[in-house]
Amino acid sequence: MVITFMDLPIIDLDLFLSQPQDSPAVQDECKKAADALITFGALILRDSRVSESDNSIFLDLLEAYFAQPPSDIKKDERPELSYQVGVTLENTEKPKCAADEPCLRIIERLELSERPLDISAHSPDPKCRFFWKMGEKPTYETQFPGLNAPNVVPQAEHIKARWTPIMESWGESMKQAVESLADMACIGLGLPSNLFRDAGRYGPHLLAPTASDLVKYGQKDTILAGFHTDLNFLTIHGRSRYPGLNIWARNTGKRLPVKIPPGNHLLVQAGRQLEHLSGGLIKAGYHEVVVNDQTLQVVERRNVENPGRPLIRISSTFFWHLSSDYDLIPIPSLVERAEALDVAQIQLRGYVTDKPVYPPMKVGQQVQNELKHIALMA
């Protein structure tokens, strides 16, 4: 069975924003969004406010930044803050699934043809990353100041002046898109429309591009980001210039090579915080980034068409978080639905995971727990 991005539902955010929330068309679209997250853990979002040219300007900036000498980039590293602002250099972050037993069992249950590239002996990911905070500063004294630290601005003269305006512009485009999608998901799940938005009002949201050097790490079947889920609530992606992102749909256990349609489309994936709050009704989406034949074809083409540009794969990624001090407790109505869905999946012999436990905790504690797993916090 061949699955393409066309199998991911396309959710029309323009419809949601242009009509009353209680209109039948909006209600249907919201249910479609919620069902997509439950079924796939992912969806394609159409938002006419998003500009492909803004994404391109953002990608150009990040290519220029990561083309700097490593010694210059390292000045923007903040390991004492668990790398939650500034840069994370290559071979630092470890894919949690490389040593996580529940995750390894999920891989074992997949058909051989649908499994990710083998991460059992995988070193830390060869990707770099930059975290740029896009959150509203809490009006109270947070218990997790390290997760809410101020931004780091690169000091290189050819980058410094344009850095903040470009990061803020593209980051705000993705932030407003994902927050509106969160509203849609609430309505589709039968919850108050602003429940998720309010829970994330003071979240340490992150514009979080990754960078992979395709000269250094451009061999076929190189793992750029090993099989994993995201620890946040919702992740939203603009288009990268290089293919290589694969995701796994909850309902099928099949690998989906992602190709975001051109224009004003974005990819949204569920993260661990949404899985926890929904009691497992919505599962965090597993994904990987690898060098495949399609990646190499684009490298060859860009060498001809853009000979002066760095061969660096930038991911146009934004992590939307719940507020660090928010109490992460599964919502009872969603827990009931999750339990019923688990029974149905077992009966259908679908993509079933070990039954997880979602203990009450602060969001900041959940984030810290996850950071320890991936070697970003001691």
Side-chain angles (χ1 to χ4, degrees):
M1 180 179 181
V2 177
I3 299 182
T4 69
F5 78 93
M6 291 302 293
D7 294 286
L8 285 180
I10 297 179
I11 304 302
D12 190 348
L13 191 54
D14 295 339
L15 170 65
F16 175 72
L17 296 173
S18 64
Q19 297 189 27
Q21 287 189 3
D22 58 358
S23 71
V26 166
Q27 291 289 315
D28 288 347
E29 198 69 11
C30 290
K31 186 175 186 306
K32 181 181 174 184
D35 288 347
L37 290 172
I38 293 169
T39 302
F40 295 95
L43 54 83
I44 299 292
L45 187 65
R46 180 167 54 235
D47 182 358
S48 64
R49 300 171 300 177
V50 173
S51 165
E52 182 67 28
S53 63
D54 285 348
N55 185 37
S56 183
I57 291 168
F58 168 77
L59 295 175
D60 285 344
L61 174 68
L62 269 296
E63 287 178 0
Y65 173 78
F66 283 106
Q68 296 181 101
S71 58
D72 290 347
I73 298 174
K74 191 171 178 62
K75 295 174 184 176
D76 301 326
E77 193 178 42
R78 299 294 184 272
E80 71 278 9
L81 296 173
S82 303
Y83 303 94
Q84 292 306 287
V85 290
V87 75
T88 304
L89 295 178
E90 63 185 47
N91 300 314
T92 300
E93 182 178 337
K94 296 180 180 178
K96 178 181 175 182
C97 287
D100 182 67
E101 284 300 324
C103 184
L104 291 173
R105 284 196 291 272
I106 287 173
I107 295 173
E108 289 172 0
R109 289 171 181 154
L110 296 172
E111 297 176 14
L112 287 175
S113 61
E114 302 300 337
R115 291 181 183 179
L117 289 183
D118 185 11
I119 58 171
S120 59
H122 181 52
S123 302
D125 289 334
K127 69 177 188 296
C128 300
R129 189 190 291 282
F130 200 100
F131 274 167
W132 180 260
K133 282 276 167 50
M134 292 292 302
E136 183 178 344
K137 187 177 179 179
T139 56
Y140 49 83
E141 186 174 351
T142 176
Q143 296 179 39
F144 305 95
L147 301 179
N148 294 272
N151 277 321
V152 175
V153 179
Q155 294 303 299
E157 288 302 321
H158 69 294
I159 291 172
K160 182 179 178 180
R162 54 199 179 113
W163 182 266
T164 298
I166 291 174
M167 297 292 276
E168 289 289 323
S169 175
W170 182 239
E172 185 58 34
S173 291
M174 292 211 285
K175 183 172 181 282
Q176 68 178 1
V178 75
E179 287 180 336
S180 296
L181 187 274
D183 294 342
M184 293 184 74
C186 279
I187 295 170
L189 291 168
L191 303 172
S193 63
N194 61 348
L195 191 152
F196 293 159
R197 184 188 288 262
D198 288 349
R201 178 176 178 181
Y202 300 112
H205 314 303
L206 294 164
L207 182 58
T210 61
S212 302
D213 184 340
L214 295 176
V215 174
K216 190 174 181 181
Y217 300 110
Q219 296 77 27
K220 185 181 175 182
D221 291 338
T222 297
I223 300 173
L224 302 176
F227 188 71
H228 68 287
T229 58
D230 292 336
L231 63 85
N232 51 294
F233 191 81
L234 287 169
T235 300
I236 188 164
H237 302 269
R239 287 210 304 161
S240 173
R241 287 173 172 156
Y242 299 90
L245 173 62
N246 296 319
I247 68 174
W248 277 259
R250 169 183 180 167
N251 67 324
T252 64
K254 300 294 184 180
R255 181 177 59 241
L256 284 71
V258 172
K259 182 180 178 184
I260 302 174
N264 47 15
H265 291 84
L266 302 159
L267 170 70
V268 179
Q269 283 188 285
R272 297 285 294 175
Q273 291 170 12
L274 178 51
E275 177 176 335
H276 197 125
L277 196 63
S278 70
L281 176 63
I282 296 170
K283 294 286 191 184
Y286 283 95
H287 51 286
E288 68 175 0
V289 181
V290 300
V291 177
N292 57 27
D293 288 332
Q294 290 72 37
T295 316
L296 297 176
Q297 289 170 12
V298 175
V299 167
E300 187 175 335
R301 188 178 75 238
R302 286 188 64 81
N303 266 328
V304 174
E305 297 176 354
N306 305 89
R309 297 297 306 169
L311 288 174
I312 301 175
R313 184 192 189 278
I314 303 295
S315 72
S316 186
T317 303
F318 187 101
F319 295 142
W320 196 84
H321 281 258
L322 298 180
S323 303
S324 300
D325 298 275
Y326 183 78
D327 290 315
L328 193 57
I329 301 172
I331 298 169
S333 63
L334 302 186
V335 172
E336 291 180 10
R337 291 181 61 184
E339 291 173 348
L341 182 61
D342 281 344
V343 171
Q345 281 196 317
I346 291 169
Q347 291 171 344
L348 293 171
R349 300 183 67 188
Y351 175 39
V352 185
T353 61
D354 292 339
K355 190 169 183 63
V357 178
Y358 303 105
M361 66 179 70
K362 295 289 186 182
V363 168
Q365 185 60 58
Q366 175 262 341
V367 171
Q368 290 177 344
N369 292 346
E370 295 283 343
L371 291 176
K372 291 173 184 175
H373 274 296
I374 58 177
L376 296 185
M377 175 177 278

